[in-house]
Amino acid sequence: MTDMPAEAIAEVMQGHGQSPGVVLRSLVIGLTAFLTVVDLFATQAILPSLTRHYGVTPGAMGFAVNASTIGMAVAGLVVGSFSPHIDRRTGILASLLLLAIPTSLLAIAPNLVVFTALRIMQGICMASAFTLTLAYLGEQCSTMDAGDAFAAYITGNVASNLIGRLISATVAESLGLATNFYFFALLNLAGALLVYFTITRVQPMHSVGSAQSPLSAMRAHWREPALRAAFGLGFCILFAFIGTFTYVNFVLVRAPLSLGMMGVGFVYFVFLPSVATTLLAGKSVAIFGMRPTLWGGLAIAALGLPLMLASHLADVLAGMVLVGVGTFFAQACATSFVGQAARTNRGVASGTYLACYFFGGLVGSAALGQLFDHFGWPACVAGVGAALAAGGLLTAWLYQRD
């Protein structure tokens, strides 16, 4: 891929060309997503080790690790609001270069407060790149290509959950916690290099609504019932995902499962089916419609919850597979919906959606962490189920104007 001229790869990113070009475009989009958010959830694979390292409770460490969602919520909103004035290529490139700084500093964080602050800084950088890339795809891809492009981007996100956790568990156990964070800083720089060679300098597309102030545009989006429901749905999706895949780590290392760090890392092959199924989201929406497809994804996730209460590893893993497949599938659909339902100021709409999405992760981390600390894993799973049910209700409001 690196032997291709920059112009050719840029054309692929913009969705032109025949079938081989479409495949390569999807690979480039997916790899960009992978390198953008690989830091987000990789640290969850080493949560028990970090908890011992800092001498804190699972709930406190879970909140610190997921504090990146604070930065992502804030940056998604701010960057999305001002995205009409931000050159896509420059913004994404700068975000990924800056991301390497807090990532490397995590290796020497002296206490939980500093660790939390650095995770917030990581979130700001990741969300800036994420928001601008979604706006770029929404602007540069045709309506026909948009569903597949967004699905490819979310699939890269899914892959980062699997491969990032495997890398983190392997490097941390073999070379230590500090080396783990230095390695991820190199991945951040690799992401910047990929963007440098694959995205051309394209000015944001100004639509009829671009004369609006960011605040006015945001208010207009919130007044749309369908977009408002989509924002709430994003909140519920990451709330459920965070609750499941943060605190299940502590279940996996305790009796009767009693897995080691490497074992926990390999457990995250449960995301492998999600890599394949998420790519089908765009086609499923085209065949069945947005709302039935979303309900299907949320239902699949809900089916996994009872299995995660079992005492046998195979049952727990099956539950994790279902939750992963369902939540990522729903996330791909919801992201695509926002990108298409927002007729104007798509950057503001994407930023608002991501802010709600990541705020849901923050609330889920805090609220479900308290449930886990005080009432145990069954209460945490019940909280996840409530979030999925709320998401199902919000899905009923998703429709697009003609």
Side-chain angles (χ1 to χ4, degrees), residues 6 13 24 28 32 42 50 96 115 117 133 155 159 178 182 185 243 253 260 284 291 313 340 343 359 374 377:
M13 286 288 286
L24 183 54
V28 172
T32 301
L50 288 169
L96 293 176
F115 185 96
T133 304
T155 300
Y182 290 134
V253 299
S284 297
R291 288 182 293 181
L313 182 60
Q340 297 174 57
R343 301 297 181 89
F359 185 63
H374 293 94
W377 178 233

PDB file of all heavy atoms in Angstrom, residues 6 13 24 28 32 42 50 96 115 117 133 155 159 178 182 185 243 253 260 284 291 313 340 343 359 374 377:
ATOM      1  N   ALA A   6       0.487   9.024  -3.665  1.00  0.00           N
ATOM      2  CA  ALA A   6      -0.437   9.644  -2.709  1.00  0.00           C
ATOM      3  C   ALA A   6      -1.751   9.999  -3.371  1.00  0.00           C
ATOM      4  O   ALA A   6      -2.826   9.853  -2.789  1.00  0.00           O
ATOM      5  CB  ALA A   6       0.205  10.902  -2.110  1.00  0.00           C
ATOM      6  N   MET A  13      -9.567   6.883  -1.046  1.00  0.00           N
ATOM      7  CA  MET A  13     -10.240   7.372   0.154  1.00  0.00           C
ATOM      8  C   MET A  13     -11.532   8.083  -0.197  1.00  0.00           C
ATOM      9  O   MET A  13     -12.480   8.113   0.573  1.00  0.00           O
ATOM     10  CB  MET A  13      -9.328   8.319   0.937  1.00  0.00           C
ATOM     11  CG  MET A  13      -8.218   7.648   1.689  1.00  0.00           C
ATOM     12  SD  MET A  13      -8.822   6.742   3.113  1.00  0.00           S
ATOM     13  CE  MET A  13      -9.207   8.088   4.224  1.00  0.00           C
ATOM     14  N   LEU A  24      -9.697  -1.531  -1.525  1.00  0.00           N
ATOM     15  CA  LEU A  24      -8.530  -0.856  -0.976  1.00  0.00           C
ATOM     16  C   LEU A  24      -8.941   0.378  -0.180  1.00  0.00           C
ATOM     17  O   LEU A  24      -8.376   0.668   0.881  1.00  0.00           O
ATOM     18  CB  LEU A  24      -7.569  -0.456  -2.100  1.00  0.00           C
ATOM     19  CG  LEU A  24      -6.250   0.205  -1.653  1.00  0.00           C
ATOM     20  CD1 LEU A  24      -5.531  -0.672  -0.642  1.00  0.00           C
ATOM     21  CD2 LEU A  24      -5.364   0.476  -2.858  1.00  0.00           C
ATOM     22  N   VAL A  28      -7.969   1.137   3.719  1.00  0.00           N
ATOM     23  CA  VAL A  28      -7.313   2.368   4.170  1.00  0.00           C
ATOM     24  C   VAL A  28      -8.150   3.063   5.244  1.00  0.00           C
ATOM     25  O   VAL A  28      -7.628   3.516   6.268  1.00  0.00           O
ATOM     26  CB  VAL A  28      -7.058   3.313   2.978  1.00  0.00           C
ATOM     27  CG1 VAL A  28      -6.551   4.667   3.463  1.00  0.00           C
ATOM     28  CG2 VAL A  28      -6.056   2.689   2.021  1.00  0.00           C
ATOM     29  N   THR A  32      -6.981   3.511   9.125  1.00  0.00           N
ATOM     30  CA  THR A  32      -6.950   4.850   9.726  1.00  0.00           C
ATOM     31  C   THR A  32      -7.726   4.868  11.034  1.00  0.00           C
ATOM     32  O   THR A  32      -7.268   5.415  12.046  1.00  0.00           O
ATOM     33  CB  THR A  32      -7.550   5.887   8.753  1.00  0.00           C
ATOM     34  OG1 THR A  32      -6.810   5.877   7.535  1.00  0.00           O
ATOM     35  CG2 THR A  32      -7.505   7.289   9.357  1.00  0.00           C
ATOM     36  N   ALA A  42      -7.501  -0.396  24.584  1.00  0.00           N
ATOM     37  CA  ALA A  42      -6.414  -1.369  24.772  1.00  0.00           C
ATOM     38  C   ALA A  42      -6.028  -1.490  26.241  1.00  0.00           C
ATOM     39  O   ALA A  42      -5.696  -2.585  26.721  1.00  0.00           O
ATOM     40  CB  ALA A  42      -5.205  -0.958  23.934  1.00  0.00           C
ATOM     41  N   LEU A  50      -2.968  -2.686  36.353  1.00  0.00           N
ATOM     42  CA  LEU A  50      -2.938  -1.270  36.720  1.00  0.00           C
ATOM     43  C   LEU A  50      -3.559  -1.036  38.094  1.00  0.00           C
ATOM     44  O   LEU A  50      -3.089  -0.192  38.866  1.00  0.00           O
ATOM     45  CB  LEU A  50      -3.683  -0.443  35.663  1.00  0.00           C
ATOM     46  CG  LEU A  50      -2.979  -0.285  34.316  1.00  0.00           C
ATOM     47  CD1 LEU A  50      -3.932   0.321  33.292  1.00  0.00           C
ATOM     48  CD2 LEU A  50      -1.737   0.602  34.468  1.00  0.00           C
ATOM     49  N   LEU A  96      -3.192  13.249  15.545  1.00  0.00           N
ATOM     50  CA  LEU A  96      -2.490  11.984  15.750  1.00  0.00           C
ATOM     51  C   LEU A  96      -1.044  12.196  16.196  1.00  0.00           C
ATOM     52  O   LEU A  96      -0.503  11.406  16.980  1.00  0.00           O
ATOM     53  CB  LEU A  96      -2.546  11.145  14.473  1.00  0.00           C
ATOM     54  CG  LEU A  96      -3.950  10.638  14.102  1.00  0.00           C
ATOM     55  CD1 LEU A  96      -3.923   9.907  12.769  1.00  0.00           C
ATOM     56  CD2 LEU A  96      -4.493   9.720  15.191  1.00  0.00           C
ATOM     57  N   PHE A 115      -2.390   9.963  35.844  1.00  0.00           N
ATOM     58  CA  PHE A 115      -2.817   8.965  34.864  1.00  0.00           C
ATOM     59  C   PHE A 115      -4.156   9.368  34.242  1.00  0.00           C
ATOM     60  O   PHE A 115      -4.339   9.320  33.024  1.00  0.00           O
ATOM     61  CB  PHE A 115      -2.939   7.598  35.548  1.00  0.00           C
ATOM     62  CG  PHE A 115      -3.259   6.453  34.619  1.00  0.00           C
ATOM     63  CD1 PHE A 115      -2.254   5.646  34.110  1.00  0.00           C
ATOM     64  CD2 PHE A 115      -4.574   6.188  34.256  1.00  0.00           C
ATOM     65  CE1 PHE A 115      -2.546   4.595  33.257  1.00  0.00           C
ATOM     66  CE2 PHE A 115      -4.872   5.135  33.400  1.00  0.00           C
ATOM     67  CZ  PHE A 115      -3.861   4.338  32.901  1.00  0.00           C
ATOM     68  N   ALA A 117      -5.517  12.396  34.083  1.00  0.00           N
ATOM     69  CA  ALA A 117      -5.362  13.604  33.271  1.00  0.00           C
ATOM     70  C   ALA A 117      -4.783  13.272  31.891  1.00  0.00           C
ATOM     71  O   ALA A 117      -5.219  13.825  30.862  1.00  0.00           O
ATOM     72  CB  ALA A 117      -4.469  14.610  33.982  1.00  0.00           C
ATOM     73  N   THR A 133     -12.434  12.929  10.667  1.00  0.00           N
ATOM     74  CA  THR A 133     -12.476  11.859   9.672  1.00  0.00           C
ATOM     75  C   THR A 133     -13.913  11.516   9.292  1.00  0.00           C
ATOM     76  O   THR A 133     -14.228  11.304   8.111  1.00  0.00           O
ATOM     77  CB  THR A 133     -11.754  10.601  10.187  1.00  0.00           C
ATOM     78  OG1 THR A 133     -10.413  10.936  10.560  1.00  0.00           O
ATOM     79  CG2 THR A 133     -11.713   9.522   9.116  1.00  0.00           C
ATOM     80  N   THR A 155     -15.514  -0.670  11.528  1.00  0.00           N
ATOM     81  CA  THR A 155     -14.841  -1.968  11.571  1.00  0.00           C
ATOM     82  C   THR A 155     -13.395  -1.813  12.023  1.00  0.00           C
ATOM     83  O   THR A 155     -12.872  -2.644  12.778  1.00  0.00           O
ATOM     84  CB  THR A 155     -14.897  -2.646  10.190  1.00  0.00           C
ATOM     85  OG1 THR A 155     -16.266  -2.831   9.818  1.00  0.00           O
ATOM     86  CG2 THR A 155     -14.205  -4.005  10.219  1.00  0.00           C
ATOM     87  N   ALA A 159     -11.633  -3.596  15.163  1.00  0.00           N
ATOM     88  CA  ALA A 159     -10.336  -4.278  15.107  1.00  0.00           C
ATOM     89  C   ALA A 159      -9.376  -3.725  16.151  1.00  0.00           C
ATOM     90  O   ALA A 159      -8.574  -4.463  16.728  1.00  0.00           O
ATOM     91  CB  ALA A 159      -9.735  -4.143  13.705  1.00  0.00           C
ATOM     92  N   ALA A 178       5.358   0.162  31.357  1.00  0.00           N
ATOM     93  CA  ALA A 178       5.923   1.356  30.724  1.00  0.00           C
ATOM     94  C   ALA A 178       6.164   1.123  29.228  1.00  0.00           C
ATOM     95  O   ALA A 178       5.802   1.963  28.394  1.00  0.00           O
ATOM     96  CB  ALA A 178       7.220   1.761  31.416  1.00  0.00           C
ATOM     97  N   TYR A 182       4.858   3.137  25.585  1.00  0.00           N
ATOM     98  CA  TYR A 182       5.778   3.631  24.554  1.00  0.00           C
ATOM     99  C   TYR A 182       5.457   3.003  23.199  1.00  0.00           C
ATOM    100  O   TYR A 182       5.529   3.669  22.156  1.00  0.00           O
ATOM    101  CB  TYR A 182       7.227   3.314  24.939  1.00  0.00           C
ATOM    102  CG  TYR A 182       7.747   4.119  26.103  1.00  0.00           C
ATOM    103  CD1 TYR A 182       8.447   3.500  27.143  1.00  0.00           C
ATOM    104  CD2 TYR A 182       7.545   5.496  26.172  1.00  0.00           C
ATOM    105  CE1 TYR A 182       8.922   4.229  28.219  1.00  0.00           C
ATOM    106  CE2 TYR A 182       8.027   6.234  27.248  1.00  0.00           C
ATOM    107  CZ  TYR A 182       8.704   5.595  28.268  1.00  0.00           C
ATOM    108  OH  TYR A 182       9.175   6.323  29.339  1.00  0.00           O
ATOM    109  N   ALA A 185       2.541   4.695  21.640  1.00  0.00           N
ATOM    110  CA  ALA A 185       2.909   6.008  21.109  1.00  0.00           C
ATOM    111  C   ALA A 185       3.459   5.875  19.688  1.00  0.00           C
ATOM    112  O   ALA A 185       3.200   6.723  18.823  1.00  0.00           O
ATOM    113  CB  ALA A 185       3.943   6.674  22.019  1.00  0.00           C
ATOM    114  N   GLY A 243     -19.660  -0.759  30.207  1.00  0.00           N
ATOM    115  CA  GLY A 243     -20.033  -1.544  31.375  1.00  0.00           C
ATOM    116  C   GLY A 243     -19.665  -2.999  31.236  1.00  0.00           C
ATOM    117  O   GLY A 243     -19.263  -3.649  32.208  1.00  0.00           O
ATOM    118  N   VAL A 253     -10.404 -12.616  35.883  1.00  0.00           N
ATOM    119  CA  VAL A 253      -9.198 -12.954  36.666  1.00  0.00           C
ATOM    120  C   VAL A 253      -9.534 -13.533  38.040  1.00  0.00           C
ATOM    121  O   VAL A 253      -8.652 -14.034  38.730  1.00  0.00           O
ATOM    122  CB  VAL A 253      -8.286 -11.716  36.832  1.00  0.00           C
ATOM    123  CG1 VAL A 253      -7.822 -11.207  35.482  1.00  0.00           C
ATOM    124  CG2 VAL A 253      -8.981 -10.601  37.610  1.00  0.00           C
ATOM    125  N   GLY A 260      -4.943 -15.543  33.707  1.00  0.00           N
ATOM    126  CA  GLY A 260      -3.815 -14.635  33.838  1.00  0.00           C
ATOM    127  C   GLY A 260      -3.924 -13.493  32.837  1.00  0.00           C
ATOM    128  O   GLY A 260      -4.859 -13.436  32.029  1.00  0.00           O
ATOM    129  N   SER A 284     -27.102  -4.326   5.450  1.00  0.00           N
ATOM    130  CA  SER A 284     -28.286  -4.715   6.209  1.00  0.00           C
ATOM    131  C   SER A 284     -29.299  -3.581   6.267  1.00  0.00           C
ATOM    132  O   SER A 284     -30.511  -3.802   6.158  1.00  0.00           O
ATOM    133  CB  SER A 284     -27.886  -5.130   7.627  1.00  0.00           C
ATOM    134  OG  SER A 284     -27.056  -6.262   7.602  1.00  0.00           O
ATOM    135  N   ARG A 291     -34.175   1.143  11.284  1.00  0.00           N
ATOM    136  CA  ARG A 291     -34.671   0.768  12.603  1.00  0.00           C
ATOM    137  C   ARG A 291     -34.687  -0.743  12.851  1.00  0.00           C
ATOM    138  O   ARG A 291     -34.209  -1.189  13.913  1.00  0.00           O
ATOM    139  CB  ARG A 291     -36.060   1.384  12.827  1.00  0.00           C
ATOM    140  CG  ARG A 291     -35.990   2.895  13.043  1.00  0.00           C
ATOM    141  CD  ARG A 291     -37.346   3.506  13.319  1.00  0.00           C
ATOM    142  NE  ARG A 291     -38.217   3.432  12.146  1.00  0.00           N
ATOM    143  CZ  ARG A 291     -39.460   3.914  12.114  1.00  0.00           C
ATOM    144  NH1 ARG A 291     -39.969   4.479  13.193  1.00  0.00           N
ATOM    145  NH2 ARG A 291     -40.176   3.830  11.009  1.00  0.00           N
ATOM    146  N   LEU A 313     -16.269 -20.586  31.438  1.00  0.00           N
ATOM    147  CA  LEU A 313     -15.605 -19.648  30.543  1.00  0.00           C
ATOM    148  C   LEU A 313     -16.249 -19.628  29.160  1.00  0.00           C
ATOM    149  O   LEU A 313     -16.429 -18.545  28.571  1.00  0.00           O
ATOM    150  CB  LEU A 313     -14.115 -19.989  30.419  1.00  0.00           C
ATOM    151  CG  LEU A 313     -13.281 -19.055  29.532  1.00  0.00           C
ATOM    152  CD1 LEU A 313     -13.326 -17.629  30.050  1.00  0.00           C
ATOM    153  CD2 LEU A 313     -11.837 -19.557  29.434  1.00  0.00           C
ATOM    154  N   GLN A 340     -25.942  10.884   7.441  1.00  0.00           N
ATOM    155  CA  GLN A 340     -26.857  11.073   6.314  1.00  0.00           C
ATOM    156  C   GLN A 340     -28.082  11.905   6.682  1.00  0.00           C
ATOM    157  O   GLN A 340     -28.609  12.642   5.852  1.00  0.00           O
ATOM    158  CB  GLN A 340     -27.294   9.710   5.780  1.00  0.00           C
ATOM    159  CG  GLN A 340     -26.144   8.880   5.209  1.00  0.00           C
ATOM    160  CD  GLN A 340     -26.581   7.486   4.810  1.00  0.00           C
ATOM    161  OE1 GLN A 340     -27.481   7.325   4.009  1.00  0.00           O
ATOM    162  NE2 GLN A 340     -25.952   6.473   5.370  1.00  0.00           N
ATOM    163  N   ARG A 343     -28.602  17.118   7.123  1.00  0.00           N
ATOM    164  CA  ARG A 343     -28.496  17.659   5.768  1.00  0.00           C
ATOM    165  C   ARG A 343     -27.476  18.794   5.681  1.00  0.00           C
ATOM    166  O   ARG A 343     -26.909  19.049   4.628  1.00  0.00           O
ATOM    167  CB  ARG A 343     -29.869  18.160   5.300  1.00  0.00           C
ATOM    168  CG  ARG A 343     -30.952  17.077   5.301  1.00  0.00           C
ATOM    169  CD  ARG A 343     -30.634  15.963   4.324  1.00  0.00           C
ATOM    170  NE  ARG A 343     -31.668  14.936   4.303  1.00  0.00           N
ATOM    171  CZ  ARG A 343     -32.730  14.963   3.509  1.00  0.00           C
ATOM    172  NH1 ARG A 343     -32.890  15.965   2.674  1.00  0.00           N
ATOM    173  NH2 ARG A 343     -33.627  14.000   3.547  1.00  0.00           N
ATOM    174  N   PHE A 359     -19.778  10.562  26.213  1.00  0.00           N
ATOM    175  CA  PHE A 359     -20.312  10.901  27.527  1.00  0.00           C
ATOM    176  C   PHE A 359     -21.043   9.700  28.110  1.00  0.00           C
ATOM    177  O   PHE A 359     -20.986   9.449  29.317  1.00  0.00           O
ATOM    178  CB  PHE A 359     -21.249  12.107  27.420  1.00  0.00           C
ATOM    179  CG  PHE A 359     -21.753  12.601  28.748  1.00  0.00           C
ATOM    180  CD1 PHE A 359     -20.885  13.098  29.701  1.00  0.00           C
ATOM    181  CD2 PHE A 359     -23.108  12.562  29.053  1.00  0.00           C
ATOM    182  CE1 PHE A 359     -21.343  13.549  30.931  1.00  0.00           C
ATOM    183  CE2 PHE A 359     -23.583  13.008  30.268  1.00  0.00           C
ATOM    184  CZ  PHE A 359     -22.696  13.514  31.219  1.00  0.00           C
ATOM    185  N   HIS A 374     -20.051  -2.224  44.760  1.00  0.00           N
ATOM    186  CA  HIS A 374     -20.944  -2.369  45.909  1.00  0.00           C
ATOM    187  C   HIS A 374     -21.906  -3.545  45.820  1.00  0.00           C
ATOM    188  O   HIS A 374     -22.311  -4.092  46.862  1.00  0.00           O
ATOM    189  CB  HIS A 374     -21.737  -1.078  46.114  1.00  0.00           C
ATOM    190  CG  HIS A 374     -20.890   0.093  46.529  1.00  0.00           C
ATOM    191  ND1 HIS A 374     -20.375   0.986  45.621  1.00  0.00           N
ATOM    192  CD2 HIS A 374     -20.447   0.490  47.744  1.00  0.00           C
ATOM    193  CE1 HIS A 374     -19.646   1.895  46.268  1.00  0.00           C
ATOM    194  NE2 HIS A 374     -19.682   1.617  47.555  1.00  0.00           N
ATOM    195  N   TRP A 377     -21.060  -8.174  40.055  1.00  0.00           N
ATOM    196  CA  TRP A 377     -21.189  -8.295  38.611  1.00  0.00           C
ATOM    197  C   TRP A 377     -22.643  -8.407  38.128  1.00  0.00           C
ATOM    198  O   TRP A 377     -23.005  -7.788  37.135  1.00  0.00           O
ATOM    199  CB  TRP A 377     -20.360  -9.491  38.158  1.00  0.00           C
ATOM    200  CG  TRP A 377     -20.386  -9.816  36.709  1.00  0.00           C
ATOM    201  CD1 TRP A 377     -20.682 -11.030  36.159  1.00  0.00           C
ATOM    202  CD2 TRP A 377     -20.075  -8.968  35.605  1.00  0.00           C
ATOM    203  NE1 TRP A 377     -20.571 -10.983  34.784  1.00  0.00           N
ATOM    204  CE2 TRP A 377     -20.200  -9.723  34.419  1.00  0.00           C
ATOM    205  CE3 TRP A 377     -19.688  -7.634  35.489  1.00  0.00           C
ATOM    206  CZ2 TRP A 377     -19.973  -9.213  33.156  1.00  0.00           C
ATOM    207  CZ3 TRP A 377     -19.468  -7.102  34.220  1.00  0.00           C
ATOM    208  CH2 TRP A 377     -19.614  -7.882  33.075  1.00  0.00           C
TER     209      TRP A 377
END
